[in-house]
Amino acid sequence: MQLIIQLDAETVRQLDAIQEHTNQEPTLVIQQGISLYYQQLQPHREFYIETKKQYGLVGSSPVSISSN
C-alpha cells in the first residue's frame, strides 16, 4: 500500500528528531509507530472481548435503531 500524507510542523519536527536519534528512514519510523500503536490497542481489544463474554454478548449483532 502506498500512502501520501501531509504532516503538520510539530509532527515533522518529531519525525526529524526520531530520525536524528535512530538514523532510520521516515518509512521505517512510521511503520514502527503504527506497530507500537497497534500493540497498545490490543489490551483494550481483549478487555472488550472479555466484557462481551461476561455479559453473554459474544456473537450478538449490534442493534440498529431508526427513527421515522
Side-chain angles (χ1 to χ4, degrees):
M1 173 191 301
Q2 183 179 4
L3 296 175
I4 298 172
I5 61 171
Q6 192 168 11
L7 303 174
D8 60 54
E10 177 60 17
T11 304
V12 170
R13 186 195 66 72
Q14 292 170 355
L15 179 58
D16 287 345
I18 293 169
Q19 285 185 267
E20 197 173 296
H21 284 75
T22 64
N23 201 31
Q24 295 176 335
E25 293 295 319
T27 301
L28 185 58
V29 173
I30 292 167
Q31 287 172 339
Q32 290 176 341
I34 291 170
S35 179
L36 285 171
Y37 191 30
Y38 180 79
Q39 289 172 21
Q40 289 175 352
L41 292 175
Q42 292 312 298
H44 299 287
R45 182 178 177 276
E46 293 301 320
F47 175 77
Y48 175 74
I49 291 170
E50 288 303 315
T51 302
K52 284 184 77 172
K53 284 180 185 176
Q54 179 181 355
Y55 291 101
L57 300 173
V58 172
S60 64
S61 298
V63 176
S64 176
I65 301 173
S66 62
S67 60
N68 293 337

